[in-house]
Amino acid sequence: MFLLVLFSTHVMEGSGKMLVTAVGVNSQTGIIFTLLGEQKKEKERKKKEKKEKKKSMFLNKMEKDGGRVEMEPLNSDDETEEEPKKTKIPKKEKSVLQGKLTKLAVQIGKAGLFMSAITVLILVGLFLVDTFWIQGLSWIKECTPIYIQFFVKFFIIGVTVLVVAVPEGLPLAVTISLAYSVKKMMKDNNLVRHLDACETMGNATAICSDKTGTLTMNRMTVVQVHIGDRHYKKVPEPDLIPGNIMNLLITGISVNSAYTSKIMPAEKEGGLPRQVGNKTECALLGFTIDLRKDYQAIRSEYPEEKLYKVYTFNSVRKSMSTVLKNPDGSYRMFSKGASEILLKKCCKVLSANGEAKVFRPIDRDDMVKEVIEPMASEGLRTICLAYRDFPVSDGEPDWDNEADILTGLTCICVVGIEDPVRPEVPDAIKKCQRAGITVRMVTGDNINTARAIATKCGILHMGDDFLCIEGKEFNRRIRNELGEIEQERLDKIWPKLRVLARSSPTDKHTLVKGIIDSTILEQRQVVAVTGDGTNDGPALKKADVGFAMGIAGTDVAKEASDIILTDDNFSSIVKAVMWGRNVYDSISKFLQFQLTVNVVAVIVAFTGACITQDSPLKAVQMLWVNLIMDTFASLALATEPPTEALLLRKPYGRNKPLISRTMMKNILGHAVYQLTIIFTLLFAGEQIFDIDSGRNTPLHAPPSEHYTIVFNTFVMMQLFNEINARKIHGERNVFDGIFNNMIFCSIVFGTFVIQILIVQFGGKPFSCVGLSVEQWLWCVFLGFGSLLWGQLITTIPTSRLKFLMTAGHGTKKEEIPEDELEEMEDLDEIDHAEMELRRGQVLWCRGLNRIQTQIRVVNAFRDSMSPYEGLETPKSRSSIHNFMSHPEFRIEDSEPAIPLIDDTDPEDDAPTKRNKTPSPLPLVLSPNQNNNASDNRGFHQHKDIAKTILSPTPGSPLHSLETSL
């Protein structure tokens, strides 16, 4: 049978062979993309022509109307109403770190803008007062260019303060840190598909892990078997098994498994045979080899084409069955599956002499107690092998009725399969628990097997008050009488739950959703989930971070995941936690360094400008400092490798501030030292070094040694403080592991070399003169003092500095206005960074909307009182105030209106809400876009009056009032 598989489809179950006829540009998809590329070029060309046409039309209209043009709203109400509404799906918060950084950057930017504006005003004010009041000079026309030069100089100083104050390096630091981490995580067997997953993993509080392959080695071997009424603790010799049982056993294992599952020779001499395909099936195939039988010969006798019917394994059946048609027309079905489930469907069992005997419920209970439970308690996975004959006399069965087909089986044997725990897993789980991360095992295995493996891994400990339940019991506890899941019931279970056995993928999704949605703890839980099957997709998608297995995982699971474990190993998840926390700490280190430079540079520039009417640090020097603290520092501090010490603390949480009290102590403490040194050199440096003063120099005076020493000392203090910034939790040894990051060492050394070149050879462009060796040594010594001062700051206990404030908090739900919360209901996920950026635009929109509302009220009031009825001239219709007083805000002129703000092609598709950014604000908004009910009511009350009464003449007083508004 041949099937045509469409693009983006997935094989949910079953097996088969695929013939690839074309790839790349030769495939149908490739041909379509090639055509789309040509269409895109053509579309861009037409779009360009349309823009040129609009531009020319705009210029023509400007000439006709004398520079006055009318504008329409960019998006009409009809277009807004026609936008398709997205189906509401559970939201997942993302980019928490970006949100915190954006909020902090906005706050710093506002402070920097305020300081720069104050600096310019003070400089201009002092200049005007000193020149025209104290000196008593009058404004001389010939001196105007000189005055303008002074004003330009003051403006440049203000802009320099703003540039230094605004932390434009924050996004760069985040990008570098994430990109560097993602690259390094690949070496740690973590293939990151979504960048924010790396950041989120640092805040993980819970991990729901699979057992097979993740906690265990996924190399399964049959170590025990119950066959012919006898229990063997190891694989028996072939002559101990009756011949007919042996034939049924070997045939059932060989045909009732995927033919892609094989045992291959070892890659190296003396190594273990390679298991290819399903590991459980490989364990059974290895069992046939241990019995000195060849499963491949059976498969050759019964190729896949001769298999009459196959019931593939899935999470519902928990078994697999294959039907063979015999030459006499009868059928034989072989089944394998979970022992306690398949034994319930058996009515017979093969005895020691190879004959079938009745298998009563009491016999089944005895086998569960004496065989299955002892195997499971040793951590073995128990599999039951059975068969059933369908005689010719009964006719052909209804193969679609699985309930009837999978009954009346005859048990062949029960095998115990061992999957040893990975040797590194117990230590990895111990690290997680020490780091404040709860590890839960979610498996489809028997509860006794799961409990034994969980104990070996360290998930369960003797004497702990934790839950270990099966999926059936789990559902009974969390559902009410109507079968609906209740969060309150779930909240009573998940905090103590450690092992969920015999669970389905739906149970895993329910557990993950319940933990995420829970509100019993102050901090929302951040959940990571591992999965390998197709049905694990919903749980992987719902989790904050989804880990798919790179080896055993299906394509569906990988598509739904955020990170792919290329080695299917739990210890790789621990490394992801380390990298995630390292990203957070790297950003905090960069902030600690940058804010220290910000505070010092802004205060020095502001104070120096106010006292000496000039900034001690010149514009080019400030830009060099800005380059050091932004680009170079972000590269140096954002590439710090993670250490095991990151796992010694609890997760930060979503509302943890980026700048802690300890960091604030370091920032202010180092700022005090640097400001003391800078102001000492600024006002007493000429006496200390016996040089000429650089203060109060003329406008175009050459560079001075005095200000060069100030600049050089300032840069040296930043270089040594960059070493201090490597530690943010109060550690004393700031040099610990410094040589593990060669990028950091290279940048510090390279910056020092460039500084030497700038000072010695920069000359007038950098406002520097060459310094002597003695002066250089003093500059380096004062810079080195930052390290000594850092040790003194560390000595001060942070607990006694409770007056210090933290900064960089996340956006809390109560801080978000109600109308924004309503807008967020339609979003797939909450992007905190985008939300912070949108807030300023929303406020601007509201302000503009309020002004327009007031204008409409004034218009309506004026129209109702106007004594100038019927005096409107045609020319007055082209003015902007008459356009705004039009009741429906539409242009009725025959000429097309030119959108001045947004020149995008209206035929282009609108972006989806998930990635949508606010469109540029139109100058005139539609009345329906105003959310204020009273505004709309006021507008409609005067609408009829505005329709009948014409506008006043341009010379009226109200005309001037409206124009000013």
Side-chain angles (χ1 to χ4, degrees):
M1 179 173 66
F2 294 94
L3 294 175
L4 177 62
V5 180
L6 299 177
F7 176 73
S8 295
T9 57
H10 298 279
V11 178
M12 304 302 286
E13 63 178 48
S15 61
K17 294 181 180 179
M18 181 174 66
L19 175 64
V20 179
T21 58
V23 295
V25 295
N26 298 317
S27 65
Q28 287 298 314
T29 305
I31 294 170
I32 292 171
F33 276 124
T34 304
L35 294 174
L36 284 175
E38 295 175 358
Q39 290 177 5
K40 188 177 180 182
K41 289 179 182 177
E42 181 66 19
K43 191 175 181 180
E44 288 177 354
R45 186 183 63 78
K46 289 182 179 178
K47 192 174 179 180
K48 192 175 181 181
E49 290 177 358
K50 194 168 184 179
K51 283 187 177 182
E52 292 294 331
K53 187 178 178 182
K54 285 183 178 180
K55 188 176 179 181
S56 61
M57 290 171 65
F58 167 67
L59 293 175
N60 293 335
K61 192 166 182 65
M62 284 283 288
E63 291 174 3
K64 290 180 182 178
D65 295 342
R68 294 172 299 184
V69 292
E70 299 172 347
M71 290 177 286
E72 290 182 345
L74 299 181
N75 295 317
S76 65
D77 298 332
D78 298 336
E79 291 172 354
T80 307
E81 290 173 2
E82 289 175 2
E83 280 188 10
K85 291 186 178 179
K86 274 198 169 185
T87 311
K88 291 185 181 179
I89 8 177
K91 295 181 290 296
K92 182 162 68 170
E93 295 183 358
K94 288 201 171 187
S95 292
V96 180
L97 179 60
Q98 286 281 10
K100 292 179 180 179
L101 287 172
T102 306
K103 189 173 182 179
L104 183 64
V106 168
Q107 293 170 348
I108 297 172
K110 289 177 181 177
L113 183 62
F114 175 76
M115 291 298 295
S116 65
I118 292 295
T119 303
V120 174
L121 291 176
I122 289 177
L123 285 172
V124 172
L126 287 175
F127 173 76
L128 294 176
V129 169
D130 181 64
T131 305
F132 300 110
W133 187 19
I134 296 177
Q135 297 183 24
L137 300 177
S138 59
W139 185 284
I140 303 173
K141 188 176 182 181
E142 290 76 11
C143 296
T144 301
I146 299 175
Y147 298 151
I148 292 175
Q149 288 183 26
F150 273 104
F151 292 149
V152 170
K153 176 186 175 183
F154 299 152
F155 179 75
I156 290 175
I157 293 173
V159 171
T160 306
V161 171
L162 178 63
V163 169
V164 174
V166 173
E168 68 272 14
L170 277 180
L172 179 65
V174 176
T175 304
I176 290 175
S177 184
L178 287 174
Y180 176 78
S181 300
V182 166
K183 183 179 178 182
K184 292 294 183 181
M185 285 174 73
M186 187 61 199
K187 295 182 179 178
D188 287 336
N189 302 308
N190 283 274
L191 176 60
V192 180
R193 299 182 67 247
H194 302 132
L195 272 180
D196 51 12
C198 176
E199 159 207 330
T200 307
M201 198 58 208
N203 291 321
T205 58
I207 299 175
C208 297
S209 174
D210 286 341
K211 177 184 76 69
T212 305
T214 309
L215 301 176
T216 59
M217 295 180 68
N218 202 20
R219 182 175 182 84
M220 301 192 183
T221 311
V222 174
V223 293
Q224 295 186 29
V225 59
H226 179 86
I227 188 170
D229 291 336
R230 292 188 63 185
H231 187 88
Y232 299 94
K233 289 288 187 180
K234 60 180 182 179
V235 177
E237 292 295 321
D239 52 3
L240 297 176
I241 301 174
N244 61 331
I245 297 181
M246 179 69 80
N247 292 334
L248 288 170
L249 178 63
I250 301 302
T251 304
I253 292 175
S254 301
V255 300
N256 190 32
S257 58
Y259 279 35
T260 53
S261 298
K262 304 173 185 177
I263 302 295
M264 305 292 289
E267 291 181 345
K268 297 180 181 179
E269 188 176 350
L272 295 172
R274 288 185 295 126
Q275 295 182 341
V276 179
N278 185 281
K279 302 302 179 182
T280 304
E281 293 178 345
C282 287
L284 295 173
L285 294 175
F287 180 43
T288 63
I289 295 174
D290 293 339
L291 294 174
R292 303 188 189 97
K293 300 294 180 181
D294 184 12
Y295 70 89
Q296 201 62 48
I298 306 295
R299 287 183 172 181
S300 301
E301 184 180 351
Y302 298 100
E304 278 190 283
E305 302 82 51
K306 288 188 177 182
L307 301 181
Y308 188 79
K309 180 75 175 177
V310 176
Y311 298 95
T312 55
F313 180 89
N314 61 33
S315 58
V316 178
R317 296 190 188 107
K318 291 196 179 295
S319 65
M320 176 182 179
S321 302
T322 302
V323 180
L324 300 177
K325 187 172 183 178
N326 298 322
D328 60 356
S330 62
Y331 301 94
R332 173 168 286 178
M333 180 181 70
F334 292 98
S335 297
K336 72 168 185 291
S339 55
E340 65 269 31
I341 293 175
L342 213 58
L343 281 176
K344 293 178 182 178
K345 300 176 181 179
C346 292
C347 62
K348 294 181 181 179
V349 64
L350 295 179
S351 60
N353 57 8
E355 295 180 357
K357 66 176 183 179
V358 178
F359 190 58
R360 297 169 299 176
I362 189 172
D363 298 327
R364 182 177 64 246
D365 294 340
D366 290 342
M367 182 176 284
V368 169
K369 291 179 182 178
E370 298 173 6
V371 178
I372 296 174
E373 289 184 358
M375 284 184 180
S377 63
E378 296 178 30
L380 304 182
R381 170 181 286 184
T382 56
I383 300 292
C384 176
L385 302 173
Y387 78 101
R388 179 183 177 183
D389 287 327
F390 298 91
V392 180
S393 58
D394 293 345
E396 185 166 350
D398 181 8
W399 300 112
D400 294 330
N401 189 353
E402 290 187 39
D404 290 341
I405 297 296
L406 293 176
T407 54
L409 303 178
T410 302
C411 176
I412 301 173
C413 69
V414 175
V415 297
I417 299 176
E418 181 184 41
D419 187 11
V421 174
R422 290 179 183 268
E424 65 273 16
V425 163
D427 184 51
I429 290 178
K430 190 176 180 181
K431 289 178 181 177
C432 284
Q433 293 168 342
R434 189 171 62 231
I437 302 172
T438 302
V439 181
R440 295 178 175 87
M441 179 196 291
V442 183
T443 179
D445 274 354
N446 179 290
I447 189 169
N448 294 318
T449 305
R451 187 184 287 112
I453 296 296
T455 305
K456 289 180 182 178
C457 293
I459 296 175
L460 293 177
H461 300 280
M462 297 298 293
D464 287 345
D465 183 23
F466 291 135
L467 283 176
C468 179
I469 59 176
E470 290 186 337
K472 191 175 181 181
E473 174 67 13
F474 173 72
N475 278 283
R476 188 187 66 78
R477 292 193 186 189
I478 66 173
R479 296 180 186 273
N480 57 20
E481 296 77 10
L482 301 176
E484 298 171 343
I485 299 172
E486 291 185 354
Q487 185 65 40
E488 292 181 4
R489 293 174 178 243
L490 195 54
D491 287 341
K492 295 177 182 178
I493 294 177
W494 73 258
K496 291 186 177 182
L497 182 65
R498 290 298 178 270
V499 176
L500 184 59
R502 283 285 178 244
S503 64
S504 65
T506 307
D507 296 336
K508 181 188 283 189
H509 178 267
T510 302
L511 176 62
V512 172
K513 185 178 183 300
I515 296 176
I516 291 176
D517 294 345
S518 178
T519 56
I520 60 173
L521 299 179
E522 184 181 353
Q523 292 280 356
R524 183 179 88 71
Q525 294 286 292
V526 179
V527 184
V529 172
T530 66
D532 56 4
T534 300
N535 292 332
D536 289 329
L540 291 170
K541 202 74 176 173
K542 177 63 183 173
D544 293 287
V545 181
F547 286 89
M549 303 297 108
I551 300 172
T554 62
D555 288 342
V556 176
K558 292 175 184 176
E559 284 293 327
S561 68
D562 299 298
I563 300 175
I564 297 175
L565 299 178
T566 56
D567 62 345
D568 292 11
N569 195 337
F570 183 85
S571 61
S572 299
I573 300 177
V574 181
K575 292 176 183 175
V577 174
M578 288 174 58
W579 279 107
R581 295 187 175 188
N582 188 63
V583 167
Y584 201 98
D585 279 9
S586 296
I587 302 304
S588 296
K589 292 172 185 176
F590 171 70
L591 277 173
Q592 177 175 296
F593 173 73
Q594 188 190 43
L595 293 182
T596 305
V597 185
N598 273 15
V599 170
V600 175
V602 170
I603 291 177
V604 167
F606 175 75
T607 309
C610 294
I611 296 176
T612 66
Q613 297 188 20
D614 190 13
S615 174
L617 300 175
K618 308 303 179 185
V620 177
Q621 295 173 352
M622 291 276 254
L623 292 176
W624 164 240
V625 170
N626 193 51
L627 183 66
I628 294 174
M629 76 177 188
D630 273 354
T631 309
F632 292 165
S634 61
L635 187 60
L637 295 172
T639 53
E640 287 278 330
T643 62
E644 293 286 337
L646 292 168
L647 298 175
L648 298 178
R649 60 169 174 79
K650 304 295 181 186
Y652 276 136
R654 289 179 172 267
N655 297 324
K656 174 79 174 179
L658 277 171
I659 302 174
S660 62
R661 279 196 174 88
T662 303
M663 292 172 60
M664 191 65 76
K665 177 186 72 174
N666 294 336
I667 291 169
L668 297 180
H670 285 288
V672 168
Y673 171 79
Q674 293 184 19
L675 288 172
T676 303
I677 297 297
I678 291 296
F679 285 136
T680 302
L681 292 176
L682 180 61
F683 297 108
E686 69 274 16
Q687 301 172 11
I688 296 172
F689 292 100
D690 193 19
I691 54 178
D692 294 333
S693 173
R695 299 189 304 277
N696 301 318
T697 55
L699 182 62
H700 296 292
S704 64
E705 276 186 303
H706 183 195
Y707 274 18
T708 302
I709 291 174
V710 172
F711 165 61
N712 197 32
T713 304
F714 179 75
V715 172
M716 290 298 109
M717 287 191 292
Q718 306 317 317
L719 281 180
F720 284 100
N721 191 39
E722 196 167 348
I723 300 174
N724 279 326
R726 294 183 64 249
K727 304 299 178 183
I728 58 174
H729 298 296
E731 301 93 333
R732 282 198 173 275
N733 186 6
V734 294
F735 292 97
D736 182 31
I738 191 171
F739 294 110
N740 294 333
N741 186 6
M742 295 311 297
I743 296 177
F744 180 90
C745 298
S746 303
I747 286 175
V748 171
F749 179 75
T751 305
F752 182 73
V753 171
I754 295 173
Q755 178 66 16
I756 293 174
L757 297 177
I758 287 175
V759 170
Q760 297 300 120
F761 308 104
K764 193 169 183 180
F766 285 91
S767 301
C768 293
V769 294
L771 300 179
S772 64
V773 175
E774 182 184 357
Q775 291 169 339
W776 264 103
L777 290 175
W778 273 108
C779 292
V780 173
F781 172 74
L782 293 173
F784 180 78
S786 294
L787 294 176
L788 303 178
W789 185 259
Q791 295 299 309
L792 181 62
I793 293 173
T794 306
T795 307
I796 303 172
T798 310
S799 57
R800 297 194 177 183
L801 304 176
K802 294 183 179 180
F803 61 89
L804 292 178
M805 302 294 290
T806 57
H809 294 268
T811 304
K812 298 180 181 179
K813 190 173 181 180
E814 54 267 22
E815 295 176 4
I816 306 173
E818 290 183 6
D819 51 349
E820 287 189 36
L821 279 173
E822 291 174 3
E823 291 178 18
M824 287 159 52
E825 289 295 326
D826 292 329
L827 299 178
D828 292 341
E829 57 192 33
I830 302 172
D831 191 331
H832 291 266
E834 183 180 351
M835 193 170 64
E836 289 293 342
L837 291 172
R838 286 183 58 198
R839 187 159 292 127
Q841 295 172 328
V842 169
L843 290 174
W844 171 255
C845 181
R846 285 179 186 163
L848 189 58
N849 217 359
R850 297 278 168 84
I851 292 173
Q852 289 178 290
T853 304
Q854 294 171 5
I855 290 174
R856 288 202 301 271
V857 173
V858 170
N859 288 341
F861 178 74
R862 178 206 60 201
D863 291 344
S864 64
M865 303 294 292
S866 175
Y868 299 99
E869 281 192 47
L871 297 181
E872 182 187 21
T873 61
K875 290 184 180 179
S876 66
R877 285 298 303 272
S878 62
S879 63
I880 188 69
H881 66 273
N882 282 292
F883 161 68
M884 296 178 69
S885 65
H886 195 281
E888 295 180 0
F889 300 100
R890 295 289 186 271
I891 304 299
E892 303 295 341
D893 295 344
S894 58
E895 296 184 25
I898 311 300
L900 297 183
I901 301 175
D902 187 2
D903 282 334
T904 55
D905 192 347
E907 295 176 1
D908 290 348
D909 293 332
T912 59
K913 286 195 175 183
R914 176 173 179 174
N915 299 321
K916 186 174 181 180
T917 56
S919 60
L921 292 173
L923 184 59
V924 180
L925 301 179
S926 172
N928 292 336
Q929 290 173 340
N930 191 351
N931 296 326
N932 193 322
S934 63
D935 294 344
N936 284 330
R937 191 164 56 248
F939 168 72
H940 287 296
Q941 286 175 355
H942 299 282
K943 188 172 181 181
D944 296 333
I945 301 172
K947 282 185 177 179
T948 56
I949 301 178
L950 301 174
S951 303
T953 58
S956 67
L958 287 173
H959 175 280
S960 303
L961 171 63
E962 183 190 356
T963 305
S964 64
L965 281 174

